[in-house]
Amino acid sequence: QSALTQPASVSGSPGQSITISCTGTSSDVSGYNYVSWYQQHPGKAPKLMVYEVNNRPSGVSNRFSGSKSGNTASLTISGLQAEDEADYFCISYTSSRTHVVFGGGTKLTVL
Amino acid sequence: EVQLVHSGAEVKKPGESLKISCKGSGYTFTNYWIGWVRQMPGKGLEWMGIIYPGNSDTRYSPSFQGQVTISADKSIRSAYLQWSSLKASDTAMYYCARLNGDHIDSWGQGTLVTVSS
């Protein structure tokens, strides 16, 4: 069982917006503004999409945005494209000795 | 450019030992935590543990304590993940990842470990 809870799957049609949630506790998500999101296509290594709740690394499309409210962080993808179909994982900084905790992952299907 | 490069895929038998590696380049290797991540077939990512190559401070997630050994050799900018006796359930893709403060900003390409009799 993962420390952070994500829905197993979400779906949307091209052009629509979807939101993936990531729920934790006061020891991680709500305790720090340090939630990051990763995209993983089959057979590929994960790619950083958002860090520190709502910052995008250079080169990541502005269709990807992050937010947080209380114990729940969210990743929103607007203007869905076929290439967005992938698994998405959240990670939060935590007070534990290993520094971060992972979400279980969400499979995004673009219909 | 930050790069983490893994050793190649491995096929082993149950009970055998194994050590896989991850070599960092493009940054000061001793200044960042390196973590190891397991991804079993068709499953999510699991954080196994971390090491700080600057002083070899090593920490394990509870599920992996005693199951694997994480180490590093800063002279050759490499981190390692080691098993003394593999099980079929160790079959997975293993990634190393650079922890940049509060998030992972770089991943290796992964090493596929297959354990089968």
Side-chain angles (χ1 to χ4, degrees):
Chain A
Q1 185 175 356
S2 301
L4 305 178
T5 301
Q6 296 182 234
S9 63
V10 298
S11 63
S13 299
Q16 287 186 330
S17 294
I18 63 93
T19 297
I20 299 171
S21 61
C22 170
T23 300
T25 69
S26 58
S27 295
D28 38 67
V29 173
S30 61
Y32 309 91
N33 285 324
Y34 294 147
V35 177
S36 49
W37 290 91
Y38 302 80
Q39 176 191 65
Q40 187 182 32
H41 286 109
K44 301 293 187 182
K47 175 187 175 184
L48 176 64
M49 306 302 285
V50 170
Y51 66 99
E52 291 171 3
V53 176
N54 57 10
N55 292 293
R56 280 185 307 276
S58 174
V60 172
S61 170
N62 59 9
R63 297 186 299 106
F64 292 83
S65 62
S67 62
K68 192 187 81 165
S69 178
N71 286 347
T72 299
S74 299
L75 174 72
T76 298
I77 309 173
S78 59
L80 268 181
Q81 300 178 0
E83 68 207 47
D84 298 332
E85 185 163 294
D87 293 323
Y88 291 85
F89 298 89
C90 62
I91 293 176
S92 174
Y93 185 80
T94 172
S95 55
S96 81
R97 281 172 45 83
T98 52
H99 293 323
V100 296
V101 289
F102 280 49
T106 298
K107 180 175 181 59
L108 169 62
T109 300
V110 180
L111 302 170
Chain B
E1 177 195 7
V2 174
Q3 281 197 307
L4 297 170
V5 179
H6 282 259
S7 50
E10 301 275 1
V11 179
K12 292 289 191 178
K13 291 181 166 38
E16 292 186 331
S17 63
L18 176 64
K19 189 175 188 178
I20 63 175
S21 68
C22 163
K23 187 175 179 68
S25 64
Y27 72 100
T28 303
F29 186 71
T30 51
N31 287 3
Y32 293 83
W33 292 89
I34 290 284
W36 285 93
V37 179
R38 182 175 78 176
Q39 188 167 39
M40 300 176 77
K43 301 298 184 182
L45 305 173
E46 299 174 273
W47 191 234
M48 302 175 71
I50 56 175
I51 187 165
Y52 192 75
N55 60 7
S56 293
D57 184 1
T58 307
R59 305 171 184 189
Y60 296 90
S61 295
S63 298
F64 294 94
Q65 180 80 48
Q67 305 305 306
V68 296
T69 301
I70 293 170
S71 60
D73 184 340
K74 61 186 179 183
S75 70
I76 56 171
R77 308 169 61 86
S78 292
Y80 303 96
L81 180 63
Q82 184 174 0
W83 295 261
S84 59
S85 181
L86 286 160
K87 302 184 283 287
S89 58
D90 293 317
T91 294
M93 180 69 84
Y94 293 88
Y95 294 101
C96 67
R98 188 179 85 157
L99 194 56
N100 187 354
D102 55 270
H103 64 279
I104 294 170
D105 66 351
S106 186
W107 298 74
Q109 85 275 20
T111 294
L112 179 63
V113 174
T114 303
V115 184
S116 174
S117 55

